[in-house]
Amino acid sequence: MAKHDSHRYSRFHVPGHAGKVPSQEDERRYFESIRRLDFTELEGLDDLHAPSGVIDEAQRLAAIAFGAEESFFLLNGSTVGNHAMILGTSSPGDLLLVQRNCHKSVLNGLMLSGVRAVFLMPRIDQQTGLMTGLDPTLVQQALQQYPEAKGLLLTNPNYYGMGTDLAAISQMVHAHNIPLLVDEAHGAHYGFHPDYPPSALSALADVVVQSTHKMLTAMTMGAMLHLQGPRVDRTRIKRILSMLQSSSPSYPIMASLDLARRNIAIEGHRLLDNTLQHVYRLRKWIDETTPFRYIKPGMDFETLDPLKISLWDSTGTLSGFELMTKLRHYGCFAEMADTRHVLLHFGLHTNEEDLIRLMEALTAISLDAFSEKKENSKASENIYAIQPHPAISIPVSFGLPVERVASPTQLRIPLTKAVGKQSAEMVIPYPPGIPVLYPGETISEWAAIYLQELAECGATFQGLKHVTEFGIPIITPDVENK
Ligand SMILES: Cc1ncc(COP(=O)(O)O)c(C=O)c1O
């Protein structure tokens, strides 16, 4: 691309901006350099859907860097990767074992493919009440109970950086000669430094999806799908990917994927090391001088990403949402919050200045917040005292939910009355985008209490506003029979 750009050809092709300097000042400031790189499938620039030139070379280099046999660039994030992973490994009616606390893109993939899913309940961390990763013993049990399963799909690490013993699970799954499919959206930086958890590819997972834009340096939406081993039909996955991805993939995003690969392959160890030093210093400072605490390695997960700090207020004054708002007030935007934690994400380029700003913010917050002496009852509640879902669900048939959704306003009922009814929609606190309910799921007591608590603490839900005021959309018998 750089070579092509250096020729300064006259452009008589899409995109419409033709790489010209924008006429408006703000557009010029932000888009001038990006426009220059925004090409299309021209001679010498290859074609993502039939790569044989620079894109092919970039994907091959990615496979080498990440330890895959084949790698593919994704232009719609891990979202499209998860869809392709499911559609590429199962057909309608097939049975997949799926970790329950999966991202909405996994559930949407199940709906698109029309598979049956058996959900496996992850472990619950006793310290924090958070759902972590799968217990290998449960996986073994599910594999025995459902020998017809076409694969196991799990998320590792979770949003908070907690992970499971992937190597053990991989061995079990492969003993049944089915593929291990891993949503490693939050772990693209694994495998490049010994002080970080091992990557899914090193645990011999067959298909791995990574958001290169999350923990590495690609532009937003830049992600990768990696393949290895003999258990998946690669031609099928490639075809599905080609069906799902745009026929006009963004060259700036593809270039950023190639550069992110180069960055981690060449400088990864040094950069990961630098950030680790910052994080160690910050953790020590938090422990020694503040009332804040953060999630530490625990009994109910095997690995913890050092680049995620999930901070909480040990005095019980501030909920996670309140702490996040206060941090914002002092100029620090966090990744997300829940009722108790604020999740801080550190990247390859976290620097001294970021660290000092964060320390100043936390110092100021502890001075003003704790003088208020407000009791935050919500922050310490452990909602997970109730078992949220069965350890191994019965098979759930998925399909497109469109015909089920009638007028949501007519069908909304208060959360307190919703237990035992079927949810008409996917209910997704965002972030993290992990659905509490999928369409058709029976609303459990846990789900009703959890949603109420989240809403009261100020969580936002995708597609579902004012859940406490207007209630939750349910499927009525009328709608079911339509
Ligand atoms: C676990 C998990 N999987 C998949 C995704 C989707 O990733 P992307 O935003 O790259 O499409 C996310 C996004 O937050 C996620 O948290």
Side-chain angles (χ1 to χ4, degrees), residues 183-464:
D183 174 355
E184 200 181 42
H186 296 279
H189 58 310
Y190 284 6
F192 292 94
H193 190 292
D195 294 341
Y196 290 74
S199 68
L201 284 164
S202 70
L204 304 182
D206 302 81
V207 188
V208 177
V209 171
Q210 296 175 332
S211 292
T212 323
H213 69 95
K214 288 192 195 299
M215 299 306 294
L216 297 183
T217 47
M219 279 173 64
T220 295
M221 293 173 98
M224 294 191 198
L225 182 145
H226 305 288
L227 298 177
Q228 67 181 341
R231 291 178 199 84
V232 292
D233 179 346
R234 295 192 193 176
T235 310
R236 180 183 164 129
I237 292 181
K238 278 183 225 174
R239 281 212 187 116
I240 299 278
L241 263 181
S242 202
M243 287 166 74
L244 297 178
Q245 301 228 74
S246 169
S247 61
S248 311
S250 156
Y251 273 79
I253 296 181
M254 288 192 282
S256 79
L257 281 167
D258 190 34
L259 293 174
R261 183 274 311 160
R262 190 178 71 180
N263 195 23
I264 191 75
I266 296 176
E267 288 196 89
H269 191 280
R270 180 182 66 78
L271 293 170
L272 286 165
D273 213 68
N274 266 354
T275 309
L276 214 50
Q277 300 318 314
H278 287 311
V279 169
Y280 288 158
R281 232 181 81 214
L282 177 68
R283 291 203 299 216
K284 189 166 183 291
W285 175 83
I286 292 171
D287 280 339
E288 289 173 358
T289 60
T290 77
F292 300 106
R293 294 294 168 262
Y294 50 89
I295 297 179
K296 295 188 172 166
M299 300 289 287
D300 299 304
F301 50 97
E302 304 297 327
T303 57
L304 185 60
D305 182 355
L307 299 195
K308 297 282 178 77
I309 292 197
S310 307
L311 208 60
W312 52 279
D313 164 17
S314 67
T315 70
T317 309
L318 297 172
S319 72
F321 295 105
E322 287 166 330
L323 180 53
M324 183 162 80
T325 308
K326 288 196 181 280
L327 278 168
R328 207 157 49 219
H329 174 77
Y330 287 103
C332 296
F333 270 75
E335 172 70 14
M336 68 156 182
D338 63 29
T339 51
R340 190 177 193 213
H341 309 96
V342 167
L343 177 60
L344 301 169
H345 157 132
F346 295 83
L348 296 187
H349 297 285
T350 298
N351 59 26
E352 187 69 20
E353 195 187 323
D354 298 324
L355 217 65
I356 290 171
R357 195 148 190 205
L358 180 62
M359 288 170 164
E360 284 172 358
L362 290 173
T363 306
I365 293 168
S366 33
L367 288 178
D368 53 46
F370 305 134
S371 60
E372 294 167 20
K373 287 264 178 271
K374 185 173 74 68
E375 267 305 303
N376 169 48
S377 56
K378 295 287 169 208
S380 56
E381 259 174 42
N382 186 352
I383 178 71
Y384 292 100
I386 312 171
Q387 169 82 358
H389 308 287
I392 300 178
S393 79
I394 54 167
V396 181
S397 292
F398 276 92
L400 288 176
V402 212
E403 62 279 6
R404 278 187 172 163
V405 182
S407 165
T409 44
Q410 284 169 21
L411 298 167
R412 286 176 95 157
I413 63 168
L415 272 170
T416 44
K417 295 193 177 148
V419 177
K421 305 273 192 305
Q422 280 180 289
S423 175
E425 285 183 24
M426 190 127 89
V427 180
I428 317 166
Y430 199 89
I434 311 293
V436 174
L437 293 166
Y438 53 79
E441 182 168 13
T442 303
I443 301 164
S444 63
E445 189 194 351
W446 169 81
I449 299 176
Y450 183 52
L451 288 172
Q452 183 81 26
E453 182 174 310
L454 278 176
E456 281 170 10
C457 280
T460 47
F461 294 88
Q462 273 182 344
L464 194 66

Side-chain angles (χ1 to χ4, degrees), residues 76-79 82 103 105 155 159 183 185-186 211 213-214 432:
N76 187 22
S78 287
T79 295
N82 282 339
H103 186 253
S105 54
T155 307
Y159 217 129
D183 174 355
H186 296 279
S211 292
H213 69 95
K214 288 192 195 299

